[in-house]
Structure formats: C-alpha cells, structure tokens
Amino acid sequence: MEALKLLDEDMIKELIPKVGQRVKFLKEWRSKNVLTILSQNEKGKRVRQSIKQKNYCSPSDRRILVSMCVAHLTEHHGMKPDSVVKNAMASAIVRAFPCLKDPKGTGHGAFYTKGKKNLPAFGWLEDHLRYIRKKEKRLCSWRRLERLETESTSPSDKRQDPPSGTDGEDMSPEELGAMTEWLKHNLEPSTTVTDYMRRTAGQRMRLIREDGKSVGEILQSYPRLLDAGMIEQDFDILRPGHKTSLYQKWETLAPKLVRYAQITSPAWSEALQCQKDVLLYSSDEIKNLAFFLISILFRGRSGRKGACSVVNSLRSFIDVKPDVTSVEQYCQDIEKEDRPQPFILCLGSNQLSPQQSFVIVERRPILQPSLMAAVDYCFKCHYVFDINYQPQCKGAWQFLQSEIYEIDAVHSNTISAFRVWLVNADTGASQTAV
C-alpha cells in the first residue's frame, strides 16, 4: 500500500497501458490517497467529515487539508516535488472532494497550476510549499549564525495589444494629427467629436500601450476622452461585446456574493457598519452591498506584509464620505502617491444608497448616475488607460475583470474558491447562510 502512495501518473501509465483500466485505477487511487492522508490524525478526520457533510470547504478546513497534503508530498518527494507530483496531488484532492472542483480550467487550478512562460507556478499547495521552504531556510540561517557565533565567541495581466482594424488605421499621420488638434479646441458638433474620437482610438491606444504615455499626457492630447460616452467607446473598441457585461450579470450575481460573504466572512456587517439581516435591504441596496463585499472577500495586499486590512481595502476601492463633503476640495487634497487614481467616491449618510457617486481621475470628479455606473466606468478607465490596480483593492478589480468582463485569466485562489462554491450553490448542494 505504501508503494502505491509513491506512484505518479506517468508511472501508472507505464504499469497500466490500457486506457480504460488506467482511468478506473486512477480515479480510485487519487481519491483514496487523499482520504488516507486525512485519516492519519483527528484533525484530518474532522476535515474529511466536515467537507463531506457540508459539501463546502471552509478556509480553516482548507488550511488543514493543504498542510497535511504538503506534509505527505515533502515526506515522500522532498522539499521541491516535481510538477507532475504536485499536479497529481491537486487532482487527487478534487477527486476525493468533487465539491472543490473549479468549473474553469483543469478543475484543480486553485490547488496547483504549473508555471508557464514568465509566470511561476501557483496555488494553495505551491504557496504552502514555498512557505515551509522559506521557514526551513530561515531556520538554517539561524543555526548557521549560532554556529558562527559559537566558533568566534544574511501590477497589466489584463493588458492586450492595441486592436487592429480601427477606423484610423488607413489614415495618414497628418490626418490623425489634424483630428487630434481639432479635438483639443472643439466641443461641438457632438457627432463629429464622437466620430473623431473613434477614428483616433487606435493611435491613442498605441500611445498608451507602446509609448507608455501617462494619463495626464493622454488627457492633454485628448481632453474629450473624459466626456460622456468616450471611455465606453474606447473600451468597446478594445473589448467588443463586453460594454454592458456588468449591467447584465450583476443583478443575478450580487445576491450570491452576499450569501457567500455570510458563510465565509460573517463579520462583514461590522466592517461595513450596517444591518446583517439582508432581508431588510432593497434589491438596489443588495447590488450596492455586493460591490463593497468584493473588496472584503477578495482583499488585496499591503506590500510584503500579506493581506491588507479590511478598512484599507474598502477605502481604496470605494471611499465613502458625508454628503456635505466638498468634492472640489476633496480632489485638491488628494496625494497621488498615497491615493493612486482612478477610484470611486460616494457621498451620503447611507453607503448602500449613496446620494452621489463619482469616479476620480487625475483629481477630476466624473459624476455617475449610480454606484454601479461608477464601478463600471472606473474599471473601464483602468483598462483604457492601462493602469495597474491599487494593491489594496487589486482582488476586487481582478474579480470584476475575470468574472464579469471575462478579460484574461486571473490567478487568484480566493476567486477560484468562490467559483467552486458558486457551482455547488447553483445546484443547490452548497451550505446556505444561517
């Protein structure tokens, strides 16, 4: 039995060449291997029983599961197991507990995804392996130091190239220059402004993505870019078909995010200082609540210290101020180094029903008709201007990027965990909120 634990899938392929028999064996081998690992102590047995009963893995259960599986890997394969071995263990985990399978990719990407190109491997197994290697290295350093002392009394994953086929591609530099100059001095007619902005979009994107022009420099050349509809037009050129993604998906997704927060982050109401009973909220308040919750559920990082505080994550994503706040003075007081832009500003005594919502870009307040419109506009500003997300709220923006606008793959274990829960919630199998 011990010899079976040391097998990897390549060895099994050699030992069982027939596909049908091998598939049957692998399914049984994978699940039993992980279940056997968890049966080695009482903690593991409780985790195994908890996941089976709830059809859901809490963060504390996941930490024990990962820790025990990594301990097994290091015991049999050393501190740096081969990628095949780590991949087999990740696959074994979701085979043993199907409720942990991610509907996207391999299904076990949150536990382990092999590195490729310039991206390192990632996932909970890989993270824990790095942690114990770092811990071991630190311990060895201390031991070496002690020995010496004795003898003698050391953010755009989301980016893409400028699109081809824009209307301005067949125009001469002189024609594009003339349009750009005209846009600097004219507000009307609006149809001409819109047309010229569309035809100069390709040149604008090349200036941003290839020449590295800053937001301020782009707005100097194209002051009409912050006019109504212009950011949306550029975004639609970059990502055709995704212009209304947030409005189409959020009404359905928002209540599920609230349910998920009740299970995984029960202290959310204290952080937001609002009622915990969501039945008291209107449908619009639920949609707004979900925006605040994603900055709690998918918190960003604070330098090298790990996850930032809930307060910092919330404020970096949506800053809420009293309705008597002078927006003009607020914008003047912004320190660029301390408060990168764009971000969202809401005014009002009730953050779930703000009286006014703004997106702040280069100290300019862009009024939006609702909080949802502000989130949508702010995301599109990030994308159009090719701006890195603020580290403190990076997770919230990555969630919107991946799950709403479907732009590139985002390597996030917390987002993957939500997708896993969502699949089970949609089938009625997941644990519901108390």
Side-chain angles (χ1 to χ4, degrees):
M1 188 68 188
E2 189 62 31
L4 284 175
K5 294 179 184 178
L6 300 176
L7 291 174
D8 60 39
E9 295 196 27
D10 286 342
M11 295 178 188
I12 292 171
K13 190 174 181 179
E14 291 180 14
L15 292 170
I16 311 175
K18 289 189 177 180
V19 177
Q21 293 176 352
R22 186 167 70 248
V23 169
K24 276 186 180 179
F25 177 83
L26 279 172
K27 187 174 181 180
E28 193 72 13
W29 170 76
R30 284 166 172 161
S31 60
K32 283 192 174 179
N33 197 23
V34 170
L35 297 178
T36 302
I37 292 169
L38 290 176
S39 299
Q40 291 174 358
N41 60 41
E42 290 304 314
K43 273 189 178 180
K45 289 176 183 177
R46 283 199 298 270
V47 168
R48 175 179 172 176
Q49 185 177 8
S50 173
I51 298 174
K52 290 287 187 183
Q53 284 180 348
K54 298 176 182 177
N55 216 28
Y56 162 77
C57 184
S58 69
S60 57
D61 286 346
R62 188 196 68 236
R63 284 190 285 271
I64 295 171
L65 168 64
V66 169
S67 178
M68 292 186 69
C69 288
V70 167
H72 177 86
L73 286 176
T74 55
E75 181 183 352
H76 294 94
H77 303 280
M79 296 295 283
K80 293 185 177 181
D82 187 83
S83 61
V84 175
V85 174
K86 291 182 282 189
N87 195 64
M89 179 60 78
S91 178
I93 291 170
V94 298
R95 290 276 186 172
F97 303 107
C99 63
L100 303 184
K101 187 173 182 180
D102 190 334
K104 290 189 177 181
T106 61
H108 58 256
F111 287 94
Y112 178 74
T113 298
K114 185 179 178 181
K116 56 183 179 179
K117 295 182 180 178
N118 296 324
L119 291 174
F122 65 93
W124 285 309
L125 294 176
E126 185 68 24
D127 290 345
H128 196 66
L129 279 165
R130 287 191 186 120
Y131 167 75
I132 60 175
R133 284 198 295 265
K134 187 176 179 181
K135 191 176 178 182
E136 181 68 19
K137 185 177 179 181
R138 192 183 301 123
L139 183 61
C140 289
S141 297
W142 276 108
R143 286 171 178 166
R144 186 164 60 251
L145 183 61
E146 286 174 356
R147 187 171 65 251
L148 289 171
E149 288 175 348
T150 304
E151 290 172 357
S152 62
T153 74
S154 152
S156 189
D157 48 357
K158 69 184 192 303
R159 315 306 183 198
Q160 74 176 42
D161 295 330
S164 59
T166 53
D167 287 351
E169 281 208 340
D170 57 351
M171 296 172 61
S172 68
E174 291 76 17
E175 290 176 300
L176 288 170
M179 286 185 181
T180 302
E181 195 62 28
W182 186 90
L183 286 165
K184 290 180 183 179
H185 307 289
N186 294 275
L187 298 172
E188 298 289 345
S190 59
T191 53
T192 304
V193 170
T194 301
D195 181 51
Y196 280 14
M197 286 295 290
R198 177 174 52 80
R199 295 171 74 179
T200 56
Q203 173 177 271
R204 193 159 46 251
M205 292 166 197
R206 281 187 286 274
L207 288 172
I208 293 170
R209 285 161 170 75
E210 295 176 7
D211 297 350
K213 296 292 185 182
S214 67
V215 177
E217 289 172 322
I218 290 298
L219 291 178
Q220 273 190 330
S221 299
Y222 298 95
R224 303 279 66 80
L225 189 52
L226 295 184
D227 289 359
M230 295 299 101
I231 287 289
E232 292 85 345
Q233 179 174 259
D234 274 20
F235 181 82
D236 195 38
I237 292 170
L238 276 169
R239 296 294 299 177
H242 293 270
K243 190 175 180 180
T244 59
S245 292
L246 184 63
Y247 298 95
Q248 291 172 351
K249 298 179 181 180
W250 199 248
E251 187 165 0
T252 302
L253 190 59
K256 296 174 183 177
L257 281 162
V258 174
R259 286 175 56 203
Y260 185 67
Q262 289 178 301
I263 296 169
T264 60
S265 302
W268 64 265
S269 58
E270 286 83 359
L272 294 175
Q273 298 181 341
C274 60
Q275 288 282 349
K276 191 169 187 176
D277 186 358
V278 296
L279 295 176
L280 299 174
Y281 295 137
S282 67
S283 60
D284 284 341
E285 287 175 327
I286 289 290
K287 285 185 280 190
N288 288 342
L289 172 61
F291 286 124
F292 287 96
L293 289 177
I294 61 175
S295 62
I296 297 175
L297 295 170
F298 313 111
R299 272 186 292 161
R301 300 184 68 81
S302 180
R304 306 179 84 180
K305 299 178 182 178
C308 71
S309 68
V310 170
V311 172
N312 282 339
S313 182
L314 283 166
R315 180 176 174 271
S316 298
F317 187 50
I318 304 173
D319 197 9
V320 180
K321 295 293 181 184
D323 52 6
V324 295
T325 300
S326 167
V327 177
E328 183 179 351
Q329 187 61 47
Y330 176 92
C331 290
Q332 288 177 4
D333 293 341
I334 293 173
E335 293 291 339
K336 284 190 176 182
E337 292 74 17
D338 298 333
R339 196 64 198 269
Q341 301 159 63
F343 64 88
I344 300 158
L345 170 66
C346 287
L347 302 184
S349 55
N350 180 1
Q351 58 191 337
L352 302 186
S353 298
Q355 293 183 10
Q356 289 183 302
S357 299
F358 300 88
V359 174
I360 310 298
V361 183
E362 288 291 294
R363 293 198 178 98
R364 305 182 197 185
I366 315 298
L367 181 63
Q368 300 296 319
S370 66
L371 178 57
M372 183 181 292
V375 172
D376 184 59
Y377 187 86
C378 195
F379 178 85
K380 289 170 180 175
C381 281
H382 277 96
Y383 198 76
V384 168
F385 288 117
D386 201 35
I387 302 171
N388 290 327
Y389 302 134
Q390 290 187 54
Q392 295 88 340
C393 58
K394 183 177 180 179
W397 289 119
Q398 285 184 326
F399 175 81
L400 294 170
Q401 174 190 324
S402 172
E403 306 307 303
I404 300 298
Y405 298 98
E406 300 177 3
I407 299 174
D408 303 335
V410 171
H411 308 306
S412 167
N413 297 339
T414 53
I415 293 174
S416 180
F418 171 73
R419 283 199 301 261
V420 170
W421 175 87
L422 188 60
V423 168
N424 291 295
D426 285 342
T427 58
S430 182
Q431 177 190 12
T432 55
V434 178

